[in-house]
Amino acid sequence: PVAMRGPGAADIFDLQEGWYLDFPGDAVDPRCIFETDYGRFSADRPSVVYAHVATEVGRPGMLGLQYWFFWYHNPSKNDHEGDWEFVQLLFEVGTAEEALGTDPIEVGMAQHIGGERADWNDDRIEKDGSRLIVYPARGAHASYFNQEVYLGRSDEFFGCDDTTEPSRRVDTEVVLLPHEVTDRNDEFAWLSFKGRWGQREPGFLNGPTGPAEKARWNEPITWHEELRDASVVIPQGDRFSGVVTAFCSVVEAGSTVVVKAVREPVVVLLLLGLIGYLLLLFFRQTTWSPVTTQPLRARRAAGQILRSSLRFAGQRPFILLAIGLVAIPVSLATSLLQALVQQIPLARDLLSLAGERSETGVGLALLIGGVGSSLSYAIIAGAVAAVIDQPHPSRASWRTAIGPLLSAFVRAAGIVVALFITVVGLPWAIRQIVRYQLIPQAVVLEGAGGKDALGRSSELVRGRWWWTATVFAVLQFVIGIVGMMLALALLVAFPGVPLWLFGIFSSVALVLLMPIFGAVMAFVYGEHIARRKARSTAPAAKVAT
């Protein structure tokens, strides 16, 4: 039940757990009401941080100076009303008077449940004179030392924390809080509120508790000692590989599903049940054995194709690894092209106006990166098909195929990109992407020219477009997830890894995965050929007259 509307500090004094400050609007479906209300409430009011001088029983000679920020709404991942975050300066003194005469020894930044610490003279810390500069993550409010994209993680959060530009400087006024309040008429009577600063919701969507209800209020030293020494920085230059963009998008989509599951578990359970049933149906419908790698042109179900590809990879691992090395120079060439594009005045002005991390910047990045990745795949897939068909193909035959393969790729890429750019041609672009999947095999194994390869690939896929599209989509998903996890594993294992090393690691993932993808599509090509041959040699039906 609603006990009061518009309560003041005295009204919530000493209220216990079970009370909620429910703001207007729905935190999980915020629309724009929270932004509008906050703008109205905060108009002509100073931006305030609440300071708390914190000591801990049993830890003499140490003092924490905490600065608490109150955010009206948390709109990122775990949406909830109200959000209390803070940073802490750690002093090696016993009293506030002593702290005034010395510098802090460390700074702790609260990031969701955990956080990060650094020495006061650490290069990560930015200052304006003696004032600490804090960068809050957009929407999630975790506090960081610098402007980067971070891999945020804690018990209640896993995803991307973004503190990059555009930014707005907010100079704050400091209000000193008492350690505890015992008088209902005290101006800080709200500090004794033990309820929730936000609407009631299940799990992590629930409103947060106030500063004095958190363990760090009374145990600042213990909290500080448990902080990480560094955060995982996602290289800002990695706009073009797609790894970070894909990861952040997947987490964002996943968080939406989780929120839906918390609020409407029955709907999500039914949806998950349907997905599970479809997967079970797929695994039961396809055939998984017998498994053969020869001949290439043979009838194989989707399960047999997958197992045949993995078996071939196990039989010829060093050959596939050598072929996969093609991805590295192509990746470097793609990076060079990206750098050159950014030097074109029109492109540079467009990115500067829109922002490198805007839809325009990301779209340009994915376009260039996608073309480079597709070129790597085309070359690798052609070479893998040649090795499967002829275990020892001649170098001369491969050299003669390079020209037609590049010609076919340029033609196909031009058609697909042109359709994508028109926007209305997007469905046809997707249609052509699937129809062009067998271009490398048509060039290398049949000797088709650049133009003829497009027609031959389309001819083979015709009539089995959906089957080919499903195999292609599943492979892209698996390779994307595996590659993303490998790259992110490097970021977690080595925080602050330089961009060039991260780029090399991403290329290594392509070296390992693309040849297997090429093997799968080679066997898909063989399946199409064998199926067409079986149809053409089938006896004609006799009609009685």
Side-chain angles (χ1 to χ4, degrees):
V2 177
M4 179 182 292
R5 295 188 181 276
D11 298 312
I12 64 174
F13 173 76
D14 207 31
L15 290 183
Q16 304 299 304
E17 175 70 32
W19 289 88
Y20 293 82
L21 297 176
D22 189 355
F23 308 161
D26 183 352
V28 184
D29 184 21
R31 305 181 186 263
C32 59
I33 187 171
F34 289 92
E35 184 173 359
T36 302
D37 281 354
Y38 177 73
R40 180 161 53 92
F41 297 154
S42 63
D44 301 323
R45 293 177 179 269
S47 295
V48 171
V49 294
Y50 297 95
H52 172 230
V53 178
T55 57
E56 183 173 339
V57 175
R59 305 299 298 269
M62 300 294 290
L63 178 145
L65 174 56
Q66 301 173 344
Y67 290 103
W68 290 86
F69 322 125
F70 177 73
W71 301 87
Y72 188 67
H73 179 239
N74 188 95
S76 182
K77 282 73 175 179
N78 50 344
D79 298 20
H80 55 80
E81 293 176 348
D83 198 12
W84 282 102
E85 295 285 355
F86 86 117
V87 300
Q88 176 171 278
L89 307 184
L90 188 65
F91 289 84
E92 203 168 20
V93 296
T95 65
E97 288 74 16
E98 292 176 293
L100 290 173
T102 184
D103 286 335
I105 58 172
E106 286 189 1
V107 177
M109 297 278 185
Q111 298 161 0
H112 313 294
I113 289 181
E116 175 186 5
R117 65 184 182 184
D119 292 337
W120 178 247
N121 295 318
D122 193 295
D123 292 338
R124 284 175 292 170
I125 294 182
E126 293 187 26
K127 305 169 191 169
D128 180 5
S130 61
R131 300 179 67 188
L132 178 67
I133 296 177
V134 182
Y135 293 100
R138 188 172 296 116
H141 306 149
S143 300
Y144 289 93
F145 294 109
N146 305 110
Q147 291 185 289
E148 303 281 0
V149 177
Y150 297 90
L151 186 63
R153 66 261 197 249
S154 72
D155 294 342
E156 291 187 1
F157 176 85
F158 184 71
C160 301
D161 278 337
D162 189 354
T163 65
T164 58
E165 296 178 329
S167 298
R168 178 171 61 91
R169 173 168 172 153
V170 177
D171 289 301
T172 57
E173 292 188 11
V174 179
V175 173
L176 181 62
L177 295 178
H179 185 69
E180 61 180 344
V181 176
T182 57
D183 184 357
R184 177 184 299 276
N185 297 316
D186 193 301
E187 63 175 315
F188 301 116
W190 55 265
L191 192 61
S192 68
F193 177 62
K194 298 178 176 58
R196 299 277 178 162
W197 291 76
Q199 73 186 38
R200 179 179 180 178
E201 288 287 343
F204 52 81
L205 303 177
N206 207 11
T209 56
E213 297 308 302
K214 302 183 187 299
R216 62 197 74 171
W217 182 265
N218 292 308
E219 300 176 352
I221 315 305
T222 299
W223 175 84
H224 198 101
E225 291 175 343
E226 294 174 352
L227 299 180
R228 303 184 309 274
D229 292 325
S231 293
V232 178
V233 177
I234 300 175
Q236 288 194 50
D238 185 44
R239 300 183 301 273
F240 302 111
S241 73
V243 172
V244 173
T245 302
F247 172 75
C248 295
S249 299
V250 167
V251 170
E252 193 72 36
S255 68
T256 302
V257 174
V258 171
V259 169
K260 191 75 173 177
V262 170
R263 280 206 143 188
E264 301 178 44
V266 175
V267 175
V268 174
L269 286 175
L270 289 175
L271 180 61
L272 292 177
L274 176 60
I275 294 174
Y277 172 75
L278 293 176
L279 289 174
L280 179 63
L281 191 64
F282 168 77
F283 283 109
R284 292 187 63 180
Q285 289 295 319
T286 190
T287 302
W288 296 90
S289 59
V291 180
T292 59
T293 59
Q294 294 295 331
L296 171 64
R297 298 166 185 82
R299 296 290 300 276
R300 293 180 178 88
Q304 291 173 301
I305 288 175
L306 178 60
R307 291 189 64 195
S308 297
S309 303
L310 295 176
R311 173 172 291 186
F312 181 77
Q315 292 172 346
R316 308 293 296 276
F318 296 108
I319 293 294
L320 292 189
L321 180 61
I323 293 174
L325 292 174
V326 171
I328 293 181
V330 174
S331 177
L332 293 175
T334 302
S335 299
L336 178 60
L337 176 61
Q338 293 159 359
L340 291 175
V341 167
Q342 293 182 71
Q343 298 307 312
I344 299 175
L346 178 61
R348 185 173 62 248
D349 293 343
L350 183 63
L351 285 175
S352 176
L353 179 64
E356 292 183 345
R357 293 185 178 273
S358 65
E359 287 80 358
T360 303
V362 171
L364 179 62
L366 293 179
L367 177 62
I368 298 176
V371 171
S373 178
S374 299
L375 177 59
S376 295
Y377 163 71
I379 298 173
I380 291 171
V384 171
V387 173
I388 296 176
D389 192 44
Q390 300 177 21
H392 303 286
S394 66
R395 294 182 180 179
S397 63
W398 175 240
R399 282 197 296 267
T400 59
I402 285 291
L405 182 59
L406 292 177
S407 174
F409 173 79
V410 170
R411 290 172 182 269
I415 293 172
V416 171
V417 170
L419 289 171
F420 263 115
I421 291 175
T422 63
V423 180
V424 295
L426 184 60
W428 288 273
I430 296 174
R431 170 177 173 263
Q432 293 306 115
I433 287 175
V434 176
R435 294 182 69 179
Y436 290 160
Q437 283 306 302
L438 302 181
I439 285 177
Q441 294 79 17
V443 171
V444 175
L445 301 182
E446 299 184 13
K451 182 179 180 180
D452 295 337
L454 275 66
R456 177 57 173 165
S457 179
S458 299
E459 177 188 355
L460 291 173
V461 173
R462 188 177 297 116
R464 300 205 76 196
W465 189 94
W466 282 107
W467 185 87
T468 307
T470 301
V471 173
F472 173 72
V474 170
L475 280 174
Q476 287 280 19
F477 176 77
V478 171
I479 287 179
I481 291 295
V482 173
M484 178 176 68
M485 296 311 296
L486 287 175
L488 290 172
L490 177 68
L491 291 177
V492 174
F494 304 101
V497 63
L499 176 60
W500 62 267
L501 183 56
F502 183 75
I504 290 176
F505 192 81
S506 300
S507 298
V508 170
L510 294 178
V511 168
L512 297 175
L513 297 173
M514 272 196 174
I516 298 177
F517 191 4
V520 170
M521 296 311 294
F523 286 117
V524 168
Y525 163 85
E527 154 66 16
H528 282 303
I529 293 291
R531 179 176 289 270
R532 284 184 169 272
K533 183 178 180 180
R535 286 181 177 178
S536 64
T537 57
K542 295 182 179 180
V543 180
T545 59

